[in-house]
């Protein structure tokens, strides 16, 4: 019997570079991204994820589900107040990772998942060690298991680009918090 994995999905492109690396798990995705700067962008990314997963489920006979958390950008804004002009990779990112993974870890624990993980480590712009340290700390806090990863290995990022082209996936050109940084 496969372990039940709650996988935080930041977007469809990153998810497309990760799913194939997790074939040994029963996967449910969770789309929780209050860092995204507008509700329109949030919905665009959620729609792209839903469309991609429907296609993958149909093509591969899978039953991957998506838990969608309602948009609430105020959470991100209040936690990162004063860090608005920081470049990607700075303190604001660590706060954002912790905010999202905390929600995911608690959800995993409260809803009977065996472990949780995130697609964030597929990005070459994200520090996988910081993300894994946060995930491991939250696993201890919630008494659950975190799947440490560096999904950019094994060409995860390259595959995300290829899958974006193959499936016509909307591929945003910024993380979410501010397209000008």
């Amino acid at each position: 019997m496969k372990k039940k994995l709650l996988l935080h999905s930041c977007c469809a492109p990153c998810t497309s570079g990760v799913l194939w690396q997790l074939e040994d798990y029963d996967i449910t995705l969770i789309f929780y991204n209050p860092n995204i700067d507008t509700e329109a962008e949030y919905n665009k990314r959620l729609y792209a994820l839903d469309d991609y997963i429907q296609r993958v489920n149909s093509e591969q006979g899978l039953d991957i589900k998506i838990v969608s958390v309602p948009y609430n950008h105020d959470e991100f804004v209040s936690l990162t107040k004063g860090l608005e002009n920081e470049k990607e990779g700075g303190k604001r990112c660590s706060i954002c990772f912790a905010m999202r993974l905390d929600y995911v870890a608690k959800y995993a624990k409260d809803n009977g998942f065996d472990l949780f993980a995130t697609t964030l480590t597929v990005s070459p712009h994200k520090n996988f060690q910081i993300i894994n340290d946060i995930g491991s700390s939250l696993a201890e806090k919630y008494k659950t298991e975190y799947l440490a990863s560096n999904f950019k290995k094994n060409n995860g990022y390259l595959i995300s680009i290829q899958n974006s082209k193959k499936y016509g996936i909307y591929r945003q050109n910024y993380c979410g918090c501010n397209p000008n940084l």
Side-chain angles (χ1 to χ4, degrees), residues 15-32:
T15 301
S16 79
V18 170
L19 285 181
W20 64 275
Q21 298 183 60
L22 298 170
E23 293 175 343
D24 294 336
Y25 297 95
D26 176 10
I27 300 170
T28 296
L29 299 174
I30 185 165
F31 189 80
Y32 172 67

Side-chain angles (χ1 to χ4, degrees), residues 42-164:
Y42 183 90
N43 290 332
K44 193 172 188 178
R45 293 182 193 197
L46 178 56
Y47 174 80
L49 178 64
D50 186 59
D51 182 63
Y52 170 69
I53 293 303
Q54 284 184 36
R55 293 172 71 181
V56 167
N57 281 345
S58 176
E59 287 176 6
Q60 298 179 22
L62 299 174
D63 187 28
I64 298 170
K65 293 174 182 54
I66 301 172
V67 174
S68 170
V69 180
Y71 181 71
N72 184 355
H73 188 57
D74 292 342
E75 289 177 82
F76 173 77
V77 170
S78 67
L79 286 173
T80 59
K81 189 167 178 64
L83 302 173
E84 295 84 1
N85 294 318
E86 228 178 90
K87 298 286 185 207
E88 185 168 356
K91 187 175 181 182
R92 185 184 63 240
C93 289
S94 294
I95 292 168
C96 183
F97 301 152
M99 172 191 63
R100 292 191 275 172
L101 288 178
D102 187 86
Y103 187 95
V104 172
K106 183 175 185 330
Y107 190 98
K109 177 67 175 177
D110 292 348
N111 291 278
F113 288 89
D114 298 308
L115 68 168
F116 71 100
T118 181
T119 61
L120 289 167
T121 66
V122 79
S123 171
H125 306 291
K126 305 287 184 273
N127 184 319
F128 76 93
Q129 192 58 57
I130 290 172
I131 294 166
N132 286 334
D133 289 347
I134 292 167
S136 295
S137 174
L138 291 167
E140 287 180 33
K141 175 182 175 181
Y142 290 107
K143 310 270 188 275
T144 188
E145 185 180 339
Y146 173 71
L147 179 65
S149 63
N150 181 2
F151 289 124
K152 62 183 125 298
K153 282 188 170 184
N154 301 318
N155 293 316
Y157 183 69
L158 175 62
I159 290 169
S160 78
I161 293 169
Q162 293 168 341
N163 281 336
S164 292

